[in-house]
Amino acid sequence: MFKSKIVVFLICIFVIGVALAGAGFSDVKCVITGKTVEIGNAEKKDYREVAIADGEIFFIQGPFAEYEETTTNFGVPTGKKQTYYYLALDMKREDFVNAVENGQKDALYNGFYFVYSATDKKKVAEADKAVAECEKYIKQIQSKNDFSNVPDVHLKIEGKLMKQPKDEEYKKIRDDFFATGDLHSSEVADLMVRDGKPGASNVLVFAAGILMALAPIVILIVLFVKKKKEESSSELW
């Protein structure tokens, strides 16, 4: 009975370890490969594979969705976090300014868009401030057809390219928001940018998961060998 409880406990540790390692694998892959997409100087096709994302945003709208998630440690709820989703333009501000000065007013629609998500309160505040500036600019264009005074927005981004949420509610909210600007989801990059650059902490979590997954296997092997030795000894007597 005692040993069966040990086995169940070890299996639970193994499952948790595998879950941790699986969750951190893509972050660790980014850190190891160092593959980076430069926001503002990328192509839409660059947003198809998981990678580190660096650069800055000068045009952003939203947030179009807000999600509350409960964070847990080993199955125990430890807090809640809010994730906000925005729509951002991948284009350098200076390129847009030059286009406007040269009379190319459609330049704002020549770039491509991507979804940007932020959880950190400071980054959310920075994004909201940038959105306010961009909204003023949009109203200026709509009311006066005036493309001058491009917003002086330089939202620094250090994050990771990753898949967007899969649930249907998110997709509906996102697509409804896109429709208000005559934008279809097919015109937006496949992967989104999640704020927060993968680093050493992600590697440590992955390593901890691997160790937690391996430890029960080693212990079970030792217990099995020990049991076999005990059975062999009893047979000799």
Side-chain angles (χ1 to χ4, degrees), residues 209-225:
I210 293 294
L211 290 175
M212 287 180 69
L214 290 177
I217 295 175
V218 174
I219 294 172
L220 286 173
I221 292 174
V222 170
L223 290 175
F224 178 78
V225 172

Side-chain angles (χ1 to χ4, degrees), residues 5-75:
K5 288 184 177 180
I6 292 177
V7 171
V8 172
F9 174 74
L10 291 174
I11 291 174
C12 290
I13 294 297
F14 173 78
V15 171
I16 293 172
V18 170
L20 281 175
F25 177 73
S26 63
D27 286 340
V28 171
K29 183 180 178 181
C30 285
V31 174
I32 293 174
T33 62
K35 182 179 178 181
T36 302
V37 170
E38 184 185 351
I39 298 173
N41 197 35
E43 297 180 19
K44 191 179 175 185
K45 64 180 181 181
D46 296 328
Y47 282 71
R48 292 176 183 167
E49 295 183 9
V50 175
I52 292 172
D54 274 330
E56 67 176 38
I57 296 170
F58 90 92
F59 191 83
I60 183 171
Q61 296 172 274
F64 63 81
E66 175 186 340
Y67 276 71
E68 181 178 89
E69 301 173 76
T70 300
T71 55
T72 61
N73 282 326
F74 303 107

